[in-house]
Amino acid sequence: MPTKIENKIRQLRAEGLNLGSKKSDEIATGFGGVRQEFENLTLYYHSVMNETAHEVHGGIRSKYLSLGEFGNDPLSGKRLLGFPLSDEQDSFDERCKMSKFEWGAIYWIFGGIVIYGKIYQEYLKLGGEAGAFGYPLSDPIPVPGGELVFFEFGSMYYGSNSQNKVIKIEHTLPQIGHPWMMSQGGINNNDVVKTQISFNSTAGEVGKLFEEIYNNRLFLKATETGQEMPLCFDGNDTEEKKFFFGTIYTSNFKLVGTPQLTERALHDIIIKLPNSRMFNLAPHSVYIKKDWKDFKFIHATDLHISSRLDTWRKFFKDRSMDDAVRNFNNFNDSLRRLIKYANKLHGSGDLDFIMMTGDLVDYIFEDGGKTYDNNNFVYLEQILLGLTGNPDQVESEELKVPVLMALGNHDYRTRSYYPMFKIDIPAARDRDMEHFGSFNLSRDEATVLSQFINKDGKLSSNVAIDMIRPDRENQNGSLNYYFRRICRERSYVQNLGNHSVIMIDGKWDDGTIEGTFDAIEHYLGFSNEATENFAGGSPDSIGFANFEIEMVRKALKRDGLVIIGVHAPLINPKSNELSYFLRSSIRMESPDSYSKEMGKYLFRRDQLSFQVPGATWKFDLRRNVHSGWQRGKTKYFYEGNGDDLLDYGVMRGQRETFLKVCLGKENELNRKVDLVLSGHVHKNWECSLHDLSGKIQIEHDFYTENPTVYYHSYDNDIPADDAFAAYNPAQMVKETLRTVHVEVTNEARVGEVPKKGPSDIWSIKTKPNKSTLNSLQTSLASVLFWEAYKPLLIQTAALGPSEYLRSPEKQPDFRGCRLISVKDDIISNIRYVTNNAINQIFP
């Protein structure tokens, strides 16, 4: 009868593992085990393994042997690990290989890390490497009276100073997506370490333990120069807070001495470990700036990072698809160029941070499972740290300025989608899905690519639903890496001197279609507006939480600027029709010229509301519907609660309350928010809110600066003054719809009408705004501007995804970011910087 080890040998060979030459026969060991050695691995069997022998190989075997294998450790004389309880296997997220033993484990990470004994047992209770402490960073380190293990997100101590109990110390350090923005005065007052102790102790005793564990190990390291400054704990500053479940001890670290920190410098928080090892606990997490009266920042949104994009150009090149190679839009390279641009600005003193408002990634995981290597938040972090090399056209460069991040709806989607595919709907017609325009690919190019990714060409409805189903509230842990490593807060306030920057979680889609019943309900016309928007390609977010509204109210009690960053906008016109005649400067010049245009605009967006009561298929554009939309001489084009045809792809829940808080109507001091920055709909649009009549009044114009060309408007050959009959008004609108290109020029006359030019292209000239923010010459003029127009709501177009730029009717390409300047505590300049402009600097 074969032995357990012989059975294991057969299994491993059947799996294709190369054992190498045999070095020994089965040999009985001490402690009741059996061992056999091969060139490439060693096999063990012990009764603790039940019926299966286990192998140990590679670097893990070398580490195991150095610790005395199953026997006594040569240094301590103690049995540390015992016999293996597993073959070498993947860790939970496949970040590294590991082997489990009776009393410990070895992880092949950071050169090989062992963990054992009481600390290992406590670590397992917390979920091991999948738990709150992450992966171990060090072997157990001997310290007076015990031993210590550092982890990615904390440390554990065991010894006489803890009455032979394991003390678990949590780190609450700044993060790359929410750094500390500090003055020269020193470290922010945050509880950076925390432990709960259930036995009798004092704050002083725990504080001394903090000193023993961290002092001479933690350092602030300048990202650019590498300068290191020690961080230390003062045991006398440890605070004690008693709760019914035990006592919590917290402490803060300080810089040693009074070092002169480099002005406008970004720093990491590192820990130095034995054997000259170093680990970056908090990269790009501390920024030094003396004061915040003057600063500049970039607003970028909708990055849509995914690692797969760095392989697609090569895919097309290998198939000699030259047009695709030339035109493919790689979102990742847009971020790499932005990093180079930001570093250049920072080097010249013209940038302090970047605000990123959601859709940081296109989706969380690439196909293949929820692993470390497939996690696009990991890839985003690597791009920011300059660790991705040159996978496509742009060489990676480490970002040298801090970043404030918040999530968007795509950041909650867990799996990748295909540029083009069919949904196989049982007992119904298959549905074509197209997502290739934002990559600037043609239909034929997308077909070739999608067939390579998905050879069947069809997806079941369940798989298609999975592509858009969000991990709400991170219920399945899909965003754990983001919250642990990038930004632990969904929404937060970053104080910059007297000023407040409020970053708000964009959350997940509202009104998602996630099953057959939802689809049937939508098909029959019974779905709500959120579902209609979702099906129309511009999903709403579920909206604001109460605590986020309170954050704004609290910030408005301070004296400085209040700037809000949120993914989805607060106001957005139906179907993203951003028509030129909504602008207040031209409405005031010639309201009569555009009253007809307003009627046709509303009819395009909602034909049935103009139906004459009791008259089948008879419609009258003079009917008093959508009465909040202004057809007379008013600067604002709309007055109401903001819902009527202006809630397309917005933060839906508690939106009206949030708008009123921004307007100063639901906060104690009646102060207005200064600026709200958003993205999501991938457009460049600005509007201003007022509340002079008890209702929300919405203006639109080019407030910050005038573009030369703007988004296309539309026109229809329909009589705007008279009632008319039509069998199918929707079809009539579609058949007579024409695109009108918009040119912004001083040559425009009052009352311009669309004109047909060469190649049947329709165009219209419209005047620029004479008094933009960027044209103002004095700080007093800037103050008066903000008194007149705040809160200003600004949408920035996507940094990554584009329109389909190869279409003859292509929209202007506004992909890019905004560069915003604050001078003497006033927003003095907001400049739009397109990707094309950045590409000229960094081709």
Side-chain angles (χ1 to χ4, degrees):
M1 182 175 179
T3 66
K4 301 294 191 295
I5 287 182
E6 287 172 338
N7 286 334
K8 189 67 176 182
I9 290 171
R10 292 192 184 96
Q11 174 196 331
L12 295 175
R13 284 176 172 160
E15 293 172 354
L17 189 64
N18 180 14
L19 281 64
S21 60
K22 186 169 73 170
K23 295 294 185 180
S24 75
D25 295 324
E26 290 188 30
I27 301 172
T29 68
F31 310 104
V34 182
R35 176 185 191 275
Q36 184 172 10
E37 186 174 0
F38 286 80
E39 181 182 5
N40 297 333
L41 55 80
T42 304
L43 293 155
Y44 300 87
Y45 179 73
H46 188 279
S47 59
V48 296
M49 305 178 192
N50 295 320
E51 296 299 314
T52 304
H54 291 299
E55 59 84 17
V56 182
H57 71 267
I60 291 179
R61 179 170 72 164
S62 299
K63 185 83 172 181
Y64 185 47
L65 292 173
S66 73
L67 296 166
E69 292 183 277
F70 48 81
N72 296 329
D73 172 35
L75 294 179
S76 67
K78 299 177 181 178
R79 291 187 70 196
L80 301 179
L81 292 172
F83 287 92
L85 297 183
S86 75
D87 295 342
E88 183 173 300
Q89 62 187 41
D90 290 319
S91 61
F92 90 103
D93 62 355
E94 300 182 17
R95 184 175 174 183
C96 71
K97 296 293 183 180
M98 65 173 296
S99 288
K100 295 181 179 179
F101 301 89
E102 288 183 81
W103 310 305
I106 296 176
Y107 293 86
W108 195 247
I109 193 171
F110 313 125
I113 300 295
V114 65
I115 179 173
Y116 51 74
K118 294 286 187 181
I119 291 178
Y120 177 65
Q121 293 171 16
E122 196 65 33
Y123 183 55
L124 289 182
K125 290 179 184 177
L126 296 172
E129 72 272 16
F133 279 68
Y135 285 86
L137 302 179
S138 67
D139 294 348
I141 300 170
V143 293
E147 60 184 12
L148 166 71
V149 174
F150 288 107
F151 298 88
E152 291 179 290
F153 311 115
S155 64
M156 295 188 195
Y157 169 88
Y158 170 77
S160 58
N161 289 334
S162 63
Q163 300 180 21
N164 292 323
K165 295 183 179 181
V166 176
I167 290 182
K168 303 179 291 295
I169 302 171
E170 301 174 36
H171 295 164
T172 309
L173 301 176
Q175 295 170 298
I176 190 171
H178 182 194
W180 287 345
M181 314 287 261
M182 297 176 5
S183 68
Q184 285 279 2
I187 297 292
N188 285 15
N189 185 24
N190 292 293
D191 295 331
V192 299
V193 294
K194 178 177 69 173
T195 183
Q196 176 184 339
I197 293 178
S198 58
F199 53 85
N200 291 330
S201 189
T202 67
E205 290 171 341
V206 176
K208 293 299 181 185
L209 185 59
F210 288 157
E211 289 182 11
E212 181 66 41
I213 290 173
Y214 290 102
N215 289 0
N216 300 315
R217 291 192 172 98
L218 283 179
F219 294 83
L220 200 64
K221 181 178 181 181
T223 302
E224 286 194 66
T225 66
Q227 177 191 9
E228 294 179 359
M229 289 152 282
L231 298 167
C232 72
F233 288 89
D234 182 347
N236 296 321
D237 286 346
T238 300
E239 294 188 2
E240 176 184 279
K241 298 177 182 178
K242 292 186 178 295
F243 299 91
F244 71 92
F245 52 79
T247 304
I248 300 292
Y249 296 89
T250 59
S251 190
N252 308 298
F253 53 53
K254 302 176 181 178
L255 287 168
V256 176
T258 56
Q260 284 299 307
L261 301 176
T262 304
E263 173 75 356
R264 300 181 60 256
L266 186 63
H267 294 76
D268 307 329
I269 297 175
I270 66 170
I271 187 166
K272 292 188 176 181
L273 303 166
N275 301 321
S276 301
R277 287 185 54 239
M278 182 276 289
F279 183 78
N280 198 340
L281 288 174
H284 293 200
S285 61
V286 178
Y287 185 70
I288 311 297
K289 184 172 170 60
K290 183 162 45 179
D291 69 64
W292 292 91
K293 287 179 64 67
D294 302 338
F295 61 91
K296 295 181 180 180
F297 69 97
I298 281 174
H299 175 232
T301 187
D302 295 85
L303 286 62
H304 289 262
I305 297 301
S306 65
S307 60
R308 68 177 181 176
L309 297 182
D310 284 333
T311 68
W312 282 6
R313 201 182 309 273
K314 183 179 184 302
F315 172 89
F316 294 124
K317 187 174 182 180
D318 290 344
R319 288 155 180 79
S320 299
M321 299 173 66
D322 295 340
D323 283 346
V325 171
R326 182 170 50 256
N327 291 297
F328 167 58
N329 174 30
N330 184 346
F331 311 160
N332 302 342
D333 274 354
S334 295
L335 176 57
R336 293 187 181 103
R337 287 191 178 94
L338 177 67
I339 289 171
K340 291 177 182 290
Y341 176 64
N343 288 344
K344 180 179 175 68
L345 289 177
H346 181 260
S348 62
D350 291 321
L351 188 68
D352 290 295
F353 65 92
I354 301 175
M355 176 193 290
M356 295 181 176
T357 55
D359 282 5
L360 308 172
V361 299
D362 211 7
Y363 44 84
I364 304 173
F365 297 108
E366 300 291 355
D367 282 346
K370 298 184 177 182
T371 67
Y372 178 84
D373 289 338
N374 287 335
N375 192 319
N376 281 319
F377 283 121
V378 174
Y379 203 66
L380 169 63
E381 181 186 41
Q382 291 173 343
I383 292 177
L384 296 175
L385 297 177
L387 300 177
T388 58
N390 185 12
D392 193 11
Q393 294 186 321
V394 183
E395 182 74 32
S396 290
E397 183 176 303
E398 185 175 13
L399 182 63
K400 298 174 184 177
V401 296
V403 179
L404 301 178
M405 295 185 188
L407 298 170
N409 61 314
H410 272 256
D411 296 316
Y412 284 91
R413 296 183 183 181
T414 61
R415 63 165 294 166
S416 60
Y417 58 93
Y418 305 141
M420 189 172 178
F421 60 93
K422 287 182 179 291
I423 302 178
D424 185 5
I425 303 176
R429 184 178 178 181
D430 293 344
R431 181 172 179 181
D432 291 322
M433 301 299 293
E434 299 178 352
H435 300 284
F436 54 82
S438 62
F439 305 116
N440 201 27
L441 297 176
S442 69
R443 178 184 295 275
D444 290 342
E445 292 160 354
T447 299
V448 173
L449 178 62
S450 296
Q451 286 174 347
F452 176 78
I453 299 172
N454 175 36
K455 292 182 172 57
D456 293 336
K458 285 187 181 182
L459 298 176
S460 69
S461 56
N462 289 335
V463 172
I465 287 169
D466 280 343
M467 288 181 176
I468 49 86
R469 179 182 285 122
D471 188 355
R472 299 174 176 87
E473 298 283 4
N474 196 32
Q475 293 172 345
N476 298 321
S478 303
L479 289 95
N480 281 352
Y481 190 87
Y482 175 83
F483 290 127
R484 290 179 183 175
R485 184 72 178 167
I486 297 178
C487 183
R488 71 178 57 86
E489 302 95 345
R490 285 190 171 92
S491 300
Y492 57 91
V493 179
Q494 177 65 66
N495 292 326
L496 306 175
N498 292 328
H499 309 303
S500 300
V501 175
I502 304 174
M503 301 295 291
I504 294 180
D505 176 14
K507 305 181 185 68
W508 46 93
D509 298 324
D510 192 12
T512 53
I513 297 174
E514 295 187 29
T516 303
F517 178 80
D518 291 344
I520 292 173
E521 187 177 53
H522 169 65
Y523 179 78
L524 295 176
F526 297 132
S527 55
N528 60 26
E529 188 172 14
T531 300
E532 294 294 327
N533 290 350
F534 177 83
S538 191
D540 299 324
S541 159
I542 63 166
F544 297 99
N546 289 332
F547 82 93
E548 292 163 339
I549 296 174
E550 289 306 312
M551 283 195 311
V552 178
R553 287 193 175 110
K554 185 176 180 180
L556 288 168
K557 294 179 181 179
R558 305 178 78 225
D559 291 334
L561 299 169
V562 178
I563 300 171
I564 298 174
V566 62
H567 180 60
L570 306 182
I571 297 292
N572 191 57
K574 184 74 172 177
S575 300
N576 297 326
E577 185 173 345
L578 311 174
S579 287
Y580 66 94
F581 53 79
L582 301 182
R583 292 178 49 215
S584 58
S585 56
I586 65 170
R587 284 175 54 81
M588 294 300 289
E589 282 187 340
S590 180
D592 293 338
S593 300
Y594 299 110
S595 62
K596 294 180 181 179
E597 297 301 326
M598 183 66 84
K600 293 191 287 184
Y601 176 95
L602 296 172
F603 185 74
R604 285 195 295 275
R605 301 280 62 90
D606 181 18
Q607 295 96 39
L608 293 182
S609 66
F610 290 90
Q611 186 170 2
V612 177
T616 304
W617 299 118
K618 190 171 184 180
F619 300 84
D620 186 351
L621 269 68
R622 298 168 300 180
R623 292 197 66 223
N624 186 27
V625 294
H626 300 292
S627 56
W629 287 74
Q630 304 299 303
R631 306 191 195 194
K633 188 175 182 178
T634 58
K635 291 185 67 176
Y636 54 89
F637 68 86
Y638 170 86
E639 182 180 56
N641 63 4
D643 286 346
D644 188 9
L645 302 181
L646 288 168
D647 54 353
Y648 185 70
V650 297
M651 292 287 283
R652 183 164 289 275
Q654 298 202 79
R655 186 172 65 104
E656 185 175 355
T657 298
F658 197 87
L659 287 168
K660 289 180 177 179
V661 171
C662 291
L663 275 163
K665 296 302 178 184
E666 292 197 8
N667 64 75
E668 294 179 11
L669 301 178
N670 293 326
R671 278 195 65 208
K672 295 180 180 180
V673 165
D674 295 272
L675 182 62
V676 181
L677 297 165
S678 64
H680 182 53
V681 295
H682 302 183
K683 299 295 183 183
N684 167 21
W685 199 63
E686 304 174 349
C687 68
S688 173
L689 302 184
H690 302 274
D691 186 6
L692 303 177
S693 63
K695 297 180 181 180
I696 299 170
Q697 297 164 340
I698 303 174
E699 291 183 27
H700 161 60
D701 215 319
F702 303 139
Y703 294 106
T704 58
E705 60 185 348
N706 289 292
T708 56
V709 294
Y710 205 57
Y711 293 115
H712 305 336
S713 286
Y714 301 93
D715 193 18
N716 290 94
D717 287 329
I718 53 178
D721 293 326
D722 301 311
F724 68 95
Y727 177 75
N728 187 335
Q731 186 66 24
M732 181 179 183
V733 167
K734 182 178 180 181
E735 289 178 350
T736 65
L737 185 69
R738 57 178 172 243
T739 301
V740 180
H741 296 245
V742 177
E743 178 186 1
V744 183
T745 173
N746 286 314
E747 297 176 0
R749 298 190 302 270
V750 174
E752 288 268 10
V753 295
K755 297 177 182 178
K756 185 165 67 172
S759 303
D760 291 334
I761 298 296
W762 288 81
S763 64
I764 191 169
K765 294 179 179 180
T766 183
K767 288 188 175 183
N769 185 1
K770 296 178 181 179
S771 301
T772 63
L773 174 65
N774 295 356
S775 68
L776 303 178
Q777 301 298 314
T778 66
S779 58
L780 176 59
S782 296
V783 170
L784 295 175
F785 172 91
W786 288 103
E787 287 302 313
Y789 293 115
K790 70 180 180 182
L792 201 58
L793 276 51
I794 292 183
Q795 297 177 22
T796 301
L799 181 73
S802 66
E803 308 277 353
Y804 181 54
L805 301 175
R806 294 152 71 182
S807 165
E809 292 294 318
K810 69 178 182 180
Q811 292 274 12
D813 184 9
F814 283 108
R815 282 177 302 154
C817 62
R818 294 184 194 269
L819 179 59
I820 301 171
S821 301
V822 174
K823 179 71 172 176
D824 293 329
D825 297 324
I826 297 293
I827 300 172
S828 60
N829 190 278
I830 301 179
R831 185 160 62 91
Y832 209 98
V833 184
T834 65
N835 283 3
N836 286 335
I838 296 174
N839 294 350
Q840 296 300 312
I841 306 172
F842 305 104

